[in-house]
Amino acid sequence: MPSLFPSLPLQPHLSSLKTLSTQNITFTKTLTNSFSSFPLPTTSTAMSLFLLLLLLLLFFLPLSLSQTQTPPKGLLINCGAQSAAQFDNRTWLPDSTFISSGQPRNLTKPLLSPPLYTLRSFPRQVKKHCYNIPVYRGAKYLVRTTYFYGGVNGADHPSPPVFDQILDGTNWTVVNTTHDYANGNATFYEGVFLAQGKIMSFCIASNTYTDSDPFISALEFLILWDSLYNTTDFTTTALALVARHSFGYSGPPIRYPDDQFDRIWQPFGQSNSTKASTENVALSGFWNLPPAKIFETHIGSDQLETLELIWPAPSLQSSKYYIALYFADDTAGSRTFNISVNGVTYYHNLNVIPSGVVVFANQWPLSGSTTITLTPAPSSSAGPLINAGEVFGVLPLGEGRTTTRDVIALEKVKESLRNPPLDWNGDPCVPRRYSWTGITCSEGPRIRVVTLNLTSMDLSGFLSPFVANMTALVNIWLGNNSLTGQIPDLSSLKNLETLHLEDNQFSGEIPSSLGDISSLQEVFLQNNNLTGQIPANLIGKPGLNVITSGNNFLSPPAP
């Protein structure tokens, strides 16, 4: 397969720079990764000041087509599959390595591509189920989830369930595949996220609309170059795809190997579509590295007339959006036009050139239906055209992440229990509505676990000493279970107020260090198999209620 993209540095080279003016502000492109220094004024008379514009003047030489295309780096996960398989010369892995809950299912009448012949189904009674995906810390990932229901929940549930998907504790979106499934199609969701650790957690979660078991068909984590979408601060936000279209194109979706990052460019044809030439388009200059194929067609004409495009099709929630519009033209004369979005000037006097230009905004406000209008400038000799476009919702990241030491400690506690709660996966505290069963967490920027309450959960196993690493714990309530082993040393829990271990099978002696925790108010240890003597510093301590009946203590207590 000839290569459309040679090996490029992470920062795309710019052969020249151009200063752009819009109303009373000037933007000059410099070779940096961050545009955080650009102010975002808010006055309605300067609506275009929401806009961060970049007009890239591109390489003058076309790219070499002699190099071999390599698949995008990352993980392709075929959910519910029993073994690895090759589809389109790429390896799809089974998902059992990445998740411990749910049930693999086969579709009885598969209608689509092979990765969609299987899925993983999850009991809706459990709040959330999470995949743990190994990633490179600091890398930017395109994450794509794909769903095809196949009627796996039976005749009583002919339509797909509606549920939530969560990434690293951020509510990504509601998954509603009903319309696509009714038309025999799969549904995919795509976002761009920064890996802030060595593991990214992707979760399926039941919400109030979930009427049958949630599911997932495929999960992809693909690494993007630093240059892609690099005006977004991914430490505070993510991008959630709304639409990505190749205008004037009516074939199958454009993706790998045409797009080296396997982004999906959907066809968007109209009666005024035109075949175009891409011989002079210099792809290396586009920092978003679009595929050459999107420049083979466009919507527009040579007539000096306004082009109006209702795009994207769905009505949008009131929010900020990232919009990138792509243009290239190799016809004689000039093709200059103004761009407005919903009647607001987006760019003035855009001159489309053979090597291509892209105009983008990374914080543009949209709401409801969206109309893009291209109006010829008086100096233009031809009418406007457009080749492609992308729209992402700017997604604020969630409340943060649970403190790492607490996450590690809870994982150790989970390992020490033979039957921990089924939703103990993903982040323990966020999103708040999907926190782990029995876990209460603190408010504020540093999220800590403050209560561990697994009373009457039919637990067996033992209590891991790692519980003492959760130093913000105020309450430990594990009563009425079948826990065995010794009570660990909890002296590091300086904020502990209540310790309820009653009605279990703990053995050994009570740690004398419990008496050194000045904040303790209740210690309930009755009905266990404890032996030895009750530590003297727990006896008669003001403000401390200690219950130890139903054990095998020596008498009297130790002096």
Side-chain angles (χ1 to χ4, degrees), residues 154-167:
D156 291 339
H157 300 282
S159 295
V162 175
F163 49 91
D164 292 339
Q165 60 179 8
I166 300 164
L167 198 135

Side-chain angles (χ1 to χ4, degrees), residues 118-180:
T118 62
L119 56 78
R120 182 169 291 268
S121 179
F122 304 98
R124 69 184 180 96
Q125 295 81 4
V126 178
K127 286 193 295 186
K128 69 178 179 181
H129 305 265
C130 299
Y131 286 84
N132 291 322
I133 308 298
V135 292
Y136 294 99
R137 185 197 302 269
K140 195 185 307 175
Y141 280 82
L142 181 150
V143 182
R144 182 160 53 235
T145 57
T146 306
Y147 302 90
F148 184 70
Y149 178 52
V152 295
N153 290 343
D156 291 339
H157 300 282
S159 295
V162 175
F163 49 91
D164 292 339
Q165 60 179 8
I166 300 164
L167 198 135
D168 273 356
T170 294
N171 281 308
W172 179 358
T173 188
V174 174
V175 175
N176 188 344
T177 67
T178 305
H179 177 75
D180 285 336

